[in-house]
Amino acid sequence: MAIISMRDVKKTYPLGKTEVQAVRGVSVEIMEGDFISIAGASGSGKTTILNMIGCIDVPTDGIVEIDGTDTRTLNDNQITDLRHRFIGFIFQSFNLIPVLNVYENIEFPLLLGAATMGRSERKAWIDYLIEQVGLGQWRTHKPNELSGGQRQRVAIARALVTKPKVVLADEPTANLDSKTGEQIIELMKKINSEQNTTFIFSTHDAGIVGIADHVIRLRDGLVIEETRRGS
């Protein structure tokens, strides 16, 4: 069974007296452990699709199912719970909290929901993630003391700290130089391989698309091509 299923999903936004069709009937299935690039130019619908998968936005029409649950049947509290348990987010602008250090930024999502880890387990898990993303010697540094690539590594660890099944990354390399961007995608790929975490990232960078196992190409809110490596 697909971990995420979108069936004939449409999203329309009002713009003055007209409507903008951001997504125009997209159907895709995403399996557990997929490493997916949603590719397309600006305005193609990439971010809108990520937002609907992440339950930040809702379709105008169509169905989004997450882990077999039709998101239309959930109330606000249930959606918040699903998002916290099931989905991690990585943003192109990092969205770190300036007054918190690396360790504290990564820990923060664990403090928002009901505690499921004891203090010692939580510390061990955060320490592990900090080492995984190569920031051991920067654990007490604050965001303004880090490079862009280091900040994105913090954001990746923070997205993983709740042990989500799915991580959504919206243009995660957009604010990075090409070499650092490639390193970030390689890090995501490593975590995908080792932890079987499903990664879905949007990009318009053709070079970054090449590392994905599953590529969905969009144009004007429509899927124009879908390929899987080896198929």
Side-chain angles (χ1 to χ4, degrees):
M1 184 180 73
I3 196 168
I4 293 169
S5 178
M6 304 182 78
R7 298 200 293 275
D8 199 25
V9 170
K10 301 172 184 175
K11 184 63 183 181
T12 302
Y13 295 102
L15 183 64
K17 295 182 179 180
T18 64
E19 290 186 335
V20 175
Q21 292 183 308
V23 175
R24 301 190 292 161
V26 165
S27 297
V28 296
E29 290 205 335
I30 296 169
M31 312 306 289
E32 185 172 5
D34 268 355
F35 192 75
I36 296 181
S37 169
I38 300 177
S42 295
S44 60
K46 303 188 302 295
T47 298
T48 302
I49 286 175
L50 284 187
N51 285 345
M52 288 189 288
I53 292 173
C55 299
I56 294 172
D57 208 346
V58 295
T60 305
D61 199 8
I63 298 170
V64 177
E65 285 188 356
I66 298 178
D67 204 25
T69 299
D70 184 344
T71 55
R72 297 175 302 176
T73 67
L74 303 179
N75 61 35
D76 288 346
N77 288 336
Q78 290 170 322
I79 285 175
T80 298
D81 180 62
L82 174 68
R83 193 187 299 130
H84 183 74
R85 286 185 299 102
F86 200 84
I87 299 169
F89 295 90
I90 302 170
F91 304 95
Q92 59 175 291
S93 56
F94 317 133
N95 286 6
L96 303 180
I97 300 171
V99 298
L100 301 183
N101 64 29
V102 166
Y103 183 98
E104 292 164 341
N105 263 287
I106 296 169
E107 180 186 37
F108 189 70
L110 294 177
L111 306 178
L112 296 177
T116 57
M117 291 186 198
R119 181 173 295 181
S120 60
E121 181 187 2
R122 185 170 73 217
K123 182 181 183 302
W125 176 233
I126 296 169
D127 287 343
Y128 171 78
L129 289 175
I130 288 173
E131 292 302 322
Q132 280 287 96
V133 299
L135 290 175
Q137 59 185 307
W138 288 280
R139 58 185 292 118
T140 60
H141 287 58
K142 294 190 176 167
N144 66 355
E145 300 172 307
L146 304 175
S147 69
Q150 288 170 329
R151 279 181 263 177
Q152 192 60 294
R153 288 169 183 269
V154 178
I156 290 171
R158 182 185 58 189
L160 293 168
V161 76
T162 59
K163 300 185 179 180
K165 289 189 177 181
V166 177
V167 172
L168 304 178
D170 189 13
E171 298 277 11
T173 62
N175 293 324
L176 307 174
D177 63 79
S178 58
K179 182 178 179 180
T180 304
E182 289 172 6
Q183 291 172 345
I184 290 298
I185 295 295
E186 288 283 1
L187 173 61
M188 291 163 58
K189 182 65 176 172
K190 175 175 178 282
I191 293 166
N192 162 258
S193 176
E194 292 179 354
Q195 313 248 352
N196 203 39
T197 305
T198 303
F199 277 84
I200 308 169
F201 62 95
S202 70
T203 185
H204 60 270
D205 186 332
I208 299 298
V209 170
I211 198 173
D213 298 323
H214 182 183
V215 179
I216 298 168
R217 296 185 186 276
L218 300 178
R219 183 185 297 152
D220 299 329
L222 292 167
V223 175
I224 59 169
E225 184 183 22
E226 185 172 0
T227 57
R228 288 182 181 269
R229 184 170 291 177
S231 62

